[in-house]
Amino acid sequence: MSINLFDLTGKTALITGGVHGLGMAMAKGLGHAGAKIVVNDHSSQEAVNNAIAEYKSEGIEAYGYLFDVTDESAVIAAINKIEVEVGPIDILINNAGIIKRTPIIEMEVADFEAVIKVDLTGPFIVSKNVAKGMIQRGGGKIINMCSMMSELGRDSVSAYASAKGGLKMLTKNMATEWAKFNIQTNGIGPGYFATSQTAPIRVNGHPFNEFIMGRTPAGRWGDPDDLQGAAIFLSSKASDFVNGHIVYVDGGILATIGKPSNED
Ligand code: GCO
């Protein structure tokens, strides 16, 4: 009898911030692998409605909710509502995040704290409250969206790097505390991807665009669909003994020191 280790039929997946970009791409991957998809936005019902329509246009069963991942009472209420209206959450992808690009010297403390709150405390809040049900039900899958900045610094993204570095270690701690409950907690670390978040530094001729094209062995920006394989793997039976691992989907950036710009 052949088994499909990557089949997500019958599973319910919550992808926070899955109304566009990388979150939507990963959610579509899980949906096409059989999962029911639940997404949220922190404030825009229109964004939720448009996303659900897009999922449904691809034959994916999808549901949308409005809640702020940094507001624990709103998160608890949303989880309860989801688990009544859709079903128990088997897979959680903590994808919702923000970035503020400002040099440390010029950065307001409030802006630093805002990034930490959404990108690090948010995944803590959502995971803690989703994991309670997973523990009761005998297991689940949690994926935290880390980053190149979980490993490397870059001018102007100190808050984001601090959050994503912390999220890497929070992932390892979740794995440490919850593996005994058959919850596999891992991370995905995207390299540089073509999204709205990177649009300002990706325009042709922008020095950063040229830099990334040279710094990435694959010689291109990532396409959001490039994340679907890692997301399906870490959401499926295929990763039942994988814990605390960050899968970097980066075109090889972390594998290399790079090369002089005049070398092919
Ligand atoms: C930046 C980019 C990065 C990428 C991604 C890399 O300003 O350096 O926005 O943060 O978005 O997180 O993994």
Side-chain angles (χ1 to χ4, degrees), residues 11-256:
K11 303 293 186 185
T12 296
L14 168 60
I15 300 91
T16 63
V19 294
H20 66 94
L22 301 185
M24 174 169 270
M26 290 185 290
K28 286 183 178 180
L30 270 56
H32 289 307
K36 279 190 283 188
I37 297 304
V38 181
V39 297
N40 83 299
D41 188 74
H42 68 282
S43 64
S44 170
Q45 187 61 56
E46 183 185 8
V48 168
N49 295 344
N50 290 341
I52 297 308
E54 185 166 342
Y55 287 118
K56 290 183 175 177
S57 73
E58 293 193 17
I60 294 170
E61 185 178 349
Y63 304 82
Y65 293 83
L66 281 185
F67 63 92
D68 180 342
V69 297
T70 68
D71 176 345
E72 187 167 33
S73 57
V75 167
I76 292 169
I79 291 168
N80 291 337
K81 192 169 166 64
I82 291 164
E83 300 207 332
V84 166
E85 295 177 354
V86 183
I89 298 169
D90 303 295
I91 302 159
L92 168 63
I93 300 184
N94 286 301
N95 165 78
I98 62 172
I99 191 168
K100 293 180 187 288
R101 299 184 181 94
T102 309
I104 295 171
I105 293 292
E106 299 163 26
M107 189 166 219
E108 298 294 335
V109 172
D111 284 339
F112 183 90
E113 290 179 336
V115 175
I116 298 292
K117 190 175 180 187
V118 176
D119 294 6
L120 180 56
T121 309
F124 169 81
I125 291 171
V126 180
S127 301
K128 165 190 165 189
N129 288 289
V130 167
K132 289 175 182 173
M134 289 179 169
I135 290 169
Q136 287 171 351
R137 294 188 295 270
K141 301 281 186 176
I142 297 175
I143 300 169
N144 293 320
M145 290 309 290
C146 295
S147 163
M148 287 292 93
M149 276 64 241
S150 296
E151 301 292 344
L152 303 171
R154 179 171 98 74
D155 282 5
S156 83
V157 295
S158 65
Y160 185 84
S162 301
K164 294 300 187 178
L167 188 55
K168 175 179 77 170
M169 293 315 301
L170 180 58
T171 299
K172 293 175 186 285
N173 236 77
M174 289 177 184
T176 300
E177 294 191 26
W178 295 341
K180 57 179 166 289
F181 300 117
N182 189 35
I183 296 171
Q184 290 81 52
T185 308
N186 293 283
I188 291 175
Y192 280 85
F193 277 70
T195 65
S196 57
Q197 191 245 41
T198 58
I201 58 175
R202 192 163 31 91
V203 293
N204 273 336
H206 189 295
F208 197 79
N209 180 58
E210 305 311 315
F211 168 66
I212 285 300
M213 297 295 280
R215 181 71 176 76
T216 307
R220 66 176 176 87
W221 287 78
D223 178 296
D225 288 355
D226 288 323
L227 289 177
Q228 292 184 337
I232 294 166
F233 167 61
L234 293 176
S235 297
S236 70
K237 185 167 182 49
S239 60
D240 279 359
F241 201 52
V242 179
N243 288 284
H245 188 74
I246 314 298
V247 178
Y248 287 100
V249 184
D250 68 354
I253 288 184
L254 285 179
T256 179

